[in-house]
Amino acid sequence: MPELPEVNTFKLYFDKTSLNQKIGEVHVHDDKIMRNIDGDSFIEKLTGRTFVKSFRRGKYLFGKLDNGNDVLFHFGMTGDFKYYEDEMDQPRHERFALHFENGYRLGFDCPRKFARILYLEDLEKYISEVGLGEDALVISENDFLKKMEGRKTSIKGFLLNQKLLAGVGNLYADEICFQTRIHPASPVNALKAKQKKAVYKAMNNILTIAIDRARYYKDEKSEDDFFQWRVEGRKAPKGKGVCQVEKIAGRTTYYFDIYQKLYQIE
DNA sequence: TGTGATGTTGAATG
DNA sequence: GCATTCAACATCAC
């Protein structure tokens, strides 16, 4: 589920439920998603510990332990937290659960196992090793424009590249292109300064609003929600074009032809 | 039954 | 070396 706004919601949930609570037991049902540690070591490392704070960058959520180490939660496509007391509430695809001493548990649910959990002794080192870009809501306009310089890749590919910019995923990238009326396949270096700035502004605006709503995949949908226009064949605003579906930057992409202009290198 | 899904990565390609 | 693309990962729902 998660792109930046959703991971932000996970962070709020994690902070509210799981900070400053001693972990009495750790149960690992499947350690496939643990990338640099096996299930037994994970249990050993976390038992008796307490999370003291958390930090989000892009789609990555880091939980800081009272020994100074961090646990990285990356949710992949289907990762989710569930905090519960009754065993009956255990999610179907829970991969591990932290049992706090207050009787509640934080379960990590993940059907597709694309999530990844890492135990980190040096968070900064990890971030620099993977080359994770600046958070999409933290990066300045200047730095954003600098990242764009000379880039031939599509605007969609640019927005999705977590090394350049962390947090934008497939749906929000489409939404940003839609709102700026830029065809997602437009090469970045074909955009003029005005469009580049518009992309930055739309990105900030959309992510901020999404964080406020924090509910796109749960609650009932309404007309002004994002992504509702992503329906093949739907007519564009003002009748200028039709919604197309195409693979761009390796991901299924929706856009309105005509309405969203394809910029090209002259 | 086949296909694709909110993500990342490592191999392959140019 | 760099930029970019693509298959692979695992499971479920339509």
Side-chain angles (χ1 to χ4, degrees):
Chain A
M1 324 185 169
E3 299 185 33
L4 186 153
E6 294 72 49
V7 176
N8 193 71
T9 302
F10 293 159
K11 172 175 161 52
L12 298 178
Y13 186 82
F14 178 80
D15 288 354
K16 192 165 135 189
T17 60
S18 305
L19 287 189
N20 306 313
Q21 297 217 53
K22 192 166 176 185
I23 301 166
E25 289 177 35
V26 179
H27 291 217
V28 176
H29 318 307
D30 184 343
D31 68 359
K32 179 102 191 180
I33 58 175
M34 295 172 186
R35 298 310 172 103
N36 67 348
I37 191 167
D38 62 38
D40 288 340
S41 311
F42 186 76
I43 291 169
E44 194 183 312
K45 292 282 192 190
L46 267 71
T47 303
R49 299 256 75 98
T50 301
F51 282 107
V52 294
K53 64 178 177 180
S54 74
F55 165 66
R56 182 192 62 71
R57 175 148 159 178
K59 306 170 192 171
Y60 293 65
L61 180 61
F62 302 89
K64 171 86 59 199
L65 294 165
D66 57 355
N67 64 358
N69 294 347
D70 287 270
V71 176
L72 164 59
F73 303 96
H74 190 291
F75 300 86
M77 300 265 252
T78 57
D80 200 1
F81 282 140
K82 182 162 181 186
Y83 185 74
Y84 62 99
E85 183 173 30
D86 190 336
E87 208 174 316
M88 298 293 288
D89 293 328
Q90 175 175 325
R92 182 164 166 208
H93 300 286
E94 182 179 277
R95 304 306 177 185
F96 68 90
L98 309 176
H99 295 221
F100 298 113
E101 290 194 331
N102 68 359
Y104 281 78
R105 313 171 182 180
L106 181 71
F108 191 91
D109 190 47
C110 186
R112 281 174 72 185
K113 301 186 198 173
F114 284 0
R116 45 200 63 212
I117 306 297
L118 281 85
Y119 186 86
L120 304 174
E121 291 179 0
D122 189 338
L123 176 152
E124 290 302 330
K125 184 167 164 238
Y126 173 77
I127 288 179
S128 101
E129 272 171 7
V130 299
L132 185 61
E134 189 82 76
D135 185 83
L137 277 180
V138 170
I139 192 170
S140 69
E141 184 182 75
N142 260 344
D143 289 346
F144 183 85
L145 295 174
K146 258 187 208 150
K147 298 274 182 202
M148 283 183 144
E149 263 173 36
R151 221 152 275 273
K152 298 179 202 160
T153 191
S154 61
I155 181 64
K156 171 121 184 188
F158 172 83
L159 290 168
L160 289 178
N161 187 336
Q162 304 298 303
K163 289 179 160 59
L164 300 173
L165 185 72
V168 177
N170 197 33
L171 269 53
Y172 286 100
D174 277 6
E175 187 68 30
I176 292 164
C177 291
F178 168 59
Q179 292 202 16
T180 52
R181 298 188 59 174
I182 296 170
H183 190 300
S186 304
V188 172
N189 62 353
L191 301 180
K192 299 189 177 70
K194 186 179 168 188
Q195 279 85 248
K196 291 177 178 174
K197 287 181 183 176
V199 170
Y200 177 78
K201 197 173 171 190
M203 175 181 79
N204 262 287
N205 191 31
I206 290 165
L207 295 177
T208 304
I209 291 172
I211 282 177
D212 287 346
R213 294 181 182 167
R215 62 176 170 72
Y216 83 84
Y217 59 93
K218 288 184 181 167
D219 294 355
E220 76 291 344
K221 298 171 157 108
S222 71
E223 267 310 298
D224 61 342
D225 272 347
F226 297 137
F227 322 128
Q228 297 306 303
W229 56 271
R230 288 173 94 254
V231 177
E232 186 169 19
R234 175 178 285 225
K235 278 178 74 175
K238 303 172 193 166
K240 288 185 178 177
V242 174
C243 189
Q244 311 286 327
V245 186
E246 194 183 324
K247 273 238 189 298
I248 297 176
R251 305 297 300 280
T252 300
T253 301
Y254 290 75
Y255 67 92
F256 291 106
D257 56 7
I258 307 172
Y259 183 75
Q260 287 172 250
K261 180 171 172 182
L262 179 60
Y263 293 84
Q264 284 169 308
I265 310 287
E266 9 234 300

